[in-house]
Amino acid sequence: MQKINASILTCGVILALLTSCDINGNNSSSFTYVGPNSSSNIFVYNIDFSKKDDLSNLIETFTDKTLSIKEIESVLKILNTNDLHANNSKLTIKESNLYDYSNNDNAETVFDANNFDSLLEMNLTRDNDNYNVTGDATFDYYGIDEDGTVKDYDINDGKYFVNIDITSSTIMQILDLKEETLNKEYSYYLTDYNLQNSLNLTQTDYFLDAINDIKSSTFYSENEKAFYGEIKDDSSINLGVIAKKLFSVNSEETKPHTISYSTTVDIVLKDGMITKLVYSDLVEAEFTEEKETKLLEKKTITNELSII
């Protein structure tokens, strides 16, 4: 039985960089940058950061507070229309692996080899006039490697940059966490296409890919998946998809419990612009006797967007 890939956090410009700081070495991206031989290799300082009316006009056609599946799908089709409008992103990535590999904790949590708990927080701001991004980063990590080595990081003075180097015709993307083994630096050929994606703080396509993964998943049956959409009293729209599956576990090694798998993508729009995106993939154990829930695995991205 194949669960949705828990390493899905590897899409998009900013997300690719941030998740590549994974202590366990998961460093990949589904985004393809345009190289110097591409037909898109025409660079202009003319990226449009203005807000388009497509989403607002569509939303104005909705008459009920609860959105139909057709209406939700119509929003998703043009969801990334205003990706370049927000110039501030508060990005939080939480990731944990707390499985009981040694059968020594049951309902409580005892760190075994390969267990880890991490939190990466970024506050990013784009300068539309100078085509760059700057931000602060904090990184809190505790984990045990397979060989028993303990890694413990508490970094609160990290920095993130996207800068243009005209001399070398490159875009520099840097995550400096003040720790040599965690620092990341990438360079991309300077084209308008590459620069636009480097300056995109919303990265909606990552979340749309996650929705499509849920829709096509064979791990979750069709009756375990549900779309939702609602117009709130403040005229904001909350929509997304959630999937959940339960398994009962009875074995000699552990106490009776239920394993809960859930994957969610949650989106909030206000005035025709995305203000919040959340991806969540959780595995939890619910122990019957203790009436307690224990986190086994978590991967959550929260991206809060605004204009400053």
Side-chain angles (χ1 to χ4, degrees):
M1 186 173 293
Q2 184 70 32
K3 190 177 184 297
I4 287 179
N5 186 357
S7 298
I8 195 174
L9 313 184
T10 52
C11 173
V13 182
I14 293 173
L15 295 180
L17 173 60
L18 298 186
T19 55
S20 69
C21 74
D22 180 4
I23 293 293
N24 298 312
N26 180 15
N27 182 4
S28 62
S29 173
S30 63
F31 181 82
T32 301
Y33 284 90
V34 177
N37 296 321
S38 168
S39 60
S40 298
N41 183 24
I42 302 174
F43 179 73
V44 292
Y45 287 100
N46 191 28
I47 297 175
D48 186 2
F49 297 112
S50 64
K51 187 172 74 170
K52 313 301 186 297
D53 294 329
D54 304 58
L55 275 169
S56 296
N57 292 340
L58 174 63
I59 291 168
E60 287 178 0
T61 67
F62 300 158
T63 56
D64 296 326
K65 289 284 188 180
T66 301
L67 303 186
S68 67
I69 294 296
K70 184 177 181 180
E71 288 172 331
I72 293 171
E73 290 178 344
S74 68
V75 172
L76 295 178
K77 284 181 180 178
I78 60 171
L79 187 64
N80 59 5
T81 300
N82 286 319
D83 266 19
L84 287 173
H85 190 52
N87 69 345
N88 181 255
S89 166
K90 292 184 178 179
L91 190 61
T92 303
I93 299 178
K94 298 179 181 180
E95 189 171 2
S96 301
N97 180 329
L98 301 175
Y99 282 101
D100 182 8
Y101 291 113
S102 301
N103 297 312
N104 59 1
D105 50 353
N106 284 293
E108 64 210 74
T109 297
V110 178
F111 271 74
D112 298 322
N114 294 316
N115 283 164
F116 66 90
D117 195 9
S118 70
L119 172 63
L120 176 63
E121 296 179 300
M122 309 280 288
N123 191 347
L124 310 176
T125 301
R126 185 183 63 236
D127 184 336
N128 292 352
D129 295 326
N130 294 304
Y131 298 94
N132 63 42
V133 177
T134 58
D136 298 322
T138 63
F139 184 56
D140 187 13
Y141 178 97
Y142 181 84
I144 302 177
D145 286 352
E146 189 172 3
D147 63 2
T149 302
V150 175
K151 291 182 178 177
D152 190 358
Y153 300 103
D154 185 8
I155 299 167
N156 56 22
D157 57 351
K159 299 293 181 181
Y160 175 83
F161 308 94
V162 172
N163 292 319
I164 300 172
D165 187 336
I166 296 296
T167 303
S168 60
S169 296
T170 57
I171 303 165
M172 301 302 298
Q173 190 179 36
I174 299 169
L175 178 62
D176 182 2
L177 290 175
K178 315 299 182 182
E179 167 64 43
E180 185 175 352
T181 59
L182 301 177
N183 295 339
K184 299 293 177 181
E185 181 173 319
Y186 296 89
S187 62
Y188 309 105
Y189 193 79
L190 181 55
T191 67
D192 54 329
Y193 178 82
N194 285 351
L195 183 58
Q196 177 174 297
N197 281 281
S198 296
L199 298 177
N200 183 346
L201 299 183
T202 310
Q203 294 296 335
T204 298
D205 285 351
Y206 161 75
F207 297 89
L208 290 174
D209 285 346
I211 289 174
N212 288 330
D213 283 348
I214 294 173
K215 289 171 64 176
S216 62
S217 170
T218 57
F219 176 78
Y220 296 115
S221 64
E222 290 306 309
N223 61 6
E224 293 171 330
K225 309 171 189 177
F227 278 93
Y228 58 88
E230 182 182 5
I231 300 177
K232 302 292 187 179
D233 291 337
D234 63 354
S235 297
S236 65
I237 289 184
N238 182 211
L239 59 87
V241 61
I242 183 169
K244 187 169 184 176
K245 178 183 286 290
L246 299 175
F247 289 103
S248 295
V249 179
N250 290 289
S251 70
E252 296 179 357
E253 296 177 340
T254 61
K255 296 180 180 179
H257 62 283
T258 299
I259 300 292
S260 168
Y261 295 90
S262 62
T263 307
T264 306
V265 179
D266 189 71
I267 303 162
V268 179
L269 300 99
K270 176 74 172 178
D271 297 328
M273 188 188 85
I274 296 171
T275 58
K276 190 174 184 179
L277 292 157
V278 180
Y279 168 83
S280 178
D281 197 19
L282 296 176
V283 184
E284 296 176 309
E286 301 173 1
F287 287 87
T288 306
E289 295 179 7
E290 292 84 351
K291 295 183 179 180
E292 294 180 0
T293 299
K294 176 193 170 186
L295 176 66
L296 300 179
E297 183 179 349
K298 171 173 66 178
K299 188 166 285 192
T300 304
I301 296 178
T302 302
N303 193 11
E304 299 178 85
L305 300 144
S306 62
I307 303 294
I308 60 172

